[in-house]
């Protein structure tokens, strides 16, 4: 098994053999601006994306003005994105024109295949790039923060003759996570004003998913695009972030803690979180803890989904209805819907 811990740092080399890899890494970086003489009859690998945009504040939905940025890996060996012949670059896809690597890459002249995969965002928070020789799979890990949308493009392959015939190298990105949207409304039939009984909403957090503590880590298989989820850390809950009205997101991420949100008279978006996907059972699928001005200790609200479909790439909406009476309660109703599809990119081979 080959491992490159924190692979964006050349000083964390795992079992790669130290200075040899460091020298190769620095050589690769140093030649990024150098001119490359194309091979005779060479076919360059270029990517020409369709509309691809993303935002760290609102989950990726293929509409907007920010370019999708992703780590793109090229390899000459199935599943191995660490060994020889690997080229990696963080690319931005603004849409419209084709995009190539800063150091042009070409299909092998012997018609052997090129393998490509990608994942987003293109930051340095992905760690522990690992290749397993037994399964011929490279994986990469990340901690979930509840506000960053993660997308993956599974491994694709193409050779020179296939590229000349098809004229395209398509990369298709898909969501790894589930978008949890939290809404709130005052019970209009309540005998007392919910605002007088509850006060303002000061915090929301996710306590459980399917009866279990929410996952906080993901390990991504770059060949299949599949993911496995786990948990690290001692916190018993997962963060929810503030929203600023109807499906809108603040310019800056604001943790839904120590906030001051008036209970709305009409159903309104108040918070969101990007969570590990799960398969609903229809019973106690999501448990939230809601803090208010007059209930600072928090009140649990349990929601069940009328679905048994895996929730990756889908939106779960939980509506909190603040009721009053002899025993004030928060009723949680939930639903699930499709999320905007991932991004398709097509490659134009010049």
């Amino acid at each position: 098994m080959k491992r490159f811990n924190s692979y964006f740092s050349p000083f964390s080399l795992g079992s790669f053999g130290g200075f040899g890899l460091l020298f190769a890494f620095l050589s690769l970086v140093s030649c990024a601006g150098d001119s490359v003489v194309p091979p005779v009859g060479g076919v360059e690998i270029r990517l020409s994306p369709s509309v691809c945009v993303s935002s760290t504040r609102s989950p990726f939905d293929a509409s907007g003005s920010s370019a999708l940025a992703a780590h793109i890996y090229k390899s000459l060996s199935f599943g191995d994105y660490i060994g020889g012949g690997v080229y990696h670059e963080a690319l931005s896809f603004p849409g419209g024109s084709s995009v190539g690597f800063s150091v042009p890459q070409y299909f092998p002249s012997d018609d052997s295949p090129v393998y490509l995969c990608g994942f987003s965002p293109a930051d340095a928070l992905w760690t522990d790039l690992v290749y397993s020789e037994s399964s011929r799979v490279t994986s990469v890990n990340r901690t979930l923060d509840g506000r960053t949308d993660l997308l993956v493009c599974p491994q694709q392959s193409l050779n020179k003759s296939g590229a000349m015939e098809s004229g395209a190298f398509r990369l298709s990105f898909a969501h790894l996570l589930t978008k949890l949207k939290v809404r709130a409304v005052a019970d209009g039939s309540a005998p007392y004003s919910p605002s007088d009984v509850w006060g303002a909403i000061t915090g929301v957090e996710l306590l459980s998913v399917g009866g279990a503590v929410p996952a906080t880590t993901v390990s991504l298989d770059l060949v299949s695009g599949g993911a496995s989820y786990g948990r690290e850390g001692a916190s018993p809950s997962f963060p929810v972030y503030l929203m600023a009205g109807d499906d809108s997101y603040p310019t800056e991420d604001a943790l839904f803690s120590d906030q001051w949100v008036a209970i709305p008279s009409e159903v309104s978006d108040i918070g969101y979180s990007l969570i590990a996907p799960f398969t609903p059972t229809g019973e106690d699928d999501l448990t939230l803890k809601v803090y208010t001005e007059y209930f600072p200790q928090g009140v649990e609200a349990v929601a069940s989904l009328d679905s048994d479909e895996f929730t990756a790439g889908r939106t779960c909406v939980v509506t909190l209805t603040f009721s009053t009476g002899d025993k004030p309660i928060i009723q949680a109703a939930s639903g699930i819907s499709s999320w905007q599809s991932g991004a398709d990119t097509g490659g134009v081979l010049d």
Side-chain angles (χ1 to χ4, degrees):
M1 177 178 291
K2 294 181 288 184
R3 178 186 296 267
F4 191 15
N5 296 321
S6 300
Y7 59 94
F8 295 95
S9 169
F11 301 103
S12 181
L13 301 178
S15 60
F16 272 94
F19 293 106
L21 180 63
L22 176 59
F23 176 81
F25 178 88
L26 294 177
S27 298
L28 175 62
V29 173
S30 67
C31 73
D34 297 342
S35 60
V36 175
V37 178
V40 176
V43 176
E44 183 183 355
I45 303 170
R46 293 184 64 85
L47 303 176
S48 180
S50 57
V51 179
C52 297
V53 296
S54 67
S55 169
T56 58
R57 308 303 175 195
S58 58
F60 177 90
D61 66 358
S63 62
S65 59
S66 299
L68 171 68
H71 292 292
I72 303 296
Y73 276 79
K74 185 215 79 172
S75 177
L76 301 179
S77 301
F78 181 99
D80 186 355
Y81 293 97
I82 293 180
V86 172
Y87 182 84
H88 157 248
E89 190 171 334
L91 293 178
S92 179
F93 301 104
S97 59
S98 63
V99 175
F101 295 104
S102 61
V103 177
Q105 302 293 301
Y106 297 88
F107 285 95
S109 58
D110 62 3
D111 218 28
S112 57
V114 168
Y115 301 92
L116 290 180
C117 70
F119 48 95
S120 177
D123 58 23
L125 299 182
W126 301 90
T127 61
D128 296 328
L129 194 67
V130 178
Y131 174 66
S132 170
E133 295 182 3
S134 60
S135 60
R136 299 180 69 197
V137 167
T138 299
S139 61
V140 64
N141 303 319
R142 189 181 179 103
T143 297
L144 306 181
D145 60 14
R147 62 189 177 187
T148 304
D149 194 10
L150 309 181
L151 295 97
V152 59
C153 172
Q155 175 177 272
Q156 308 289 324
S157 66
L158 196 64
N159 56 15
K160 178 180 177 180
S161 60
M164 295 177 68
E165 179 179 346
S166 66
F169 200 131
R170 297 195 63 82
L171 300 180
S172 180
F173 287 86
H175 294 286
L176 285 174
L177 303 178
T178 295
K179 178 166 62 175
L180 171 64
K181 185 182 291 185
V182 181
R183 293 173 171 169
V185 65
D187 183 358
S189 63
Y192 310 105
S193 168
S195 295
D196 291 340
V197 173
W198 294 95
I201 306 169
T202 58
V204 180
E205 59 187 8
L206 180 64
L207 288 186
S208 69
V209 177
V213 179
T216 59
T217 63
V218 60
S219 180
L220 177 59
D221 181 331
L222 298 182
V223 174
S224 69
S228 58
Y229 301 87
R231 178 163 184 82
E232 292 181 356
S235 175
S237 62
F238 195 75
V240 173
Y241 294 87
L242 195 67
M243 290 180 69
D246 186 17
D247 203 26
S248 59
Y249 300 80
T251 303
E252 300 294 334
D253 288 318
L255 186 66
F256 209 140
S257 177
D258 294 325
Q259 299 294 335
W260 197 267
V261 178
I263 299 174
S265 58
E266 297 182 356
V267 177
S268 300
D269 298 324
I270 62 169
Y272 82 100
S273 188
L274 298 174
I275 66 176
F278 62 99
T279 301
T281 63
E283 183 176 352
D284 299 347
D285 292 310
L286 296 165
T287 301
L288 299 173
K289 194 164 189 179
V290 183
Y291 300 87
T292 73
E293 181 182 1
Y294 303 141
F295 289 82
Q297 73 277 14
V299 176
E300 292 187 11
V302 181
S304 300
L305 294 168
D306 185 17
S307 172
D308 58 1
E309 296 185 25
F310 193 57
T311 61
R314 308 194 74 189
T315 297
C316 295
V317 179
V318 176
T319 302
L320 305 173
T321 301
F322 290 78
S323 299
T324 64
D326 295 336
K327 183 180 180 181
I329 60 173
I330 300 175
Q331 299 172 323
S334 59
I336 188 168
S337 62
S338 60
W339 192 357
Q340 180 74 29
S341 62
D344 290 332
T345 68
V348 176
L349 307 179
D350 297 341

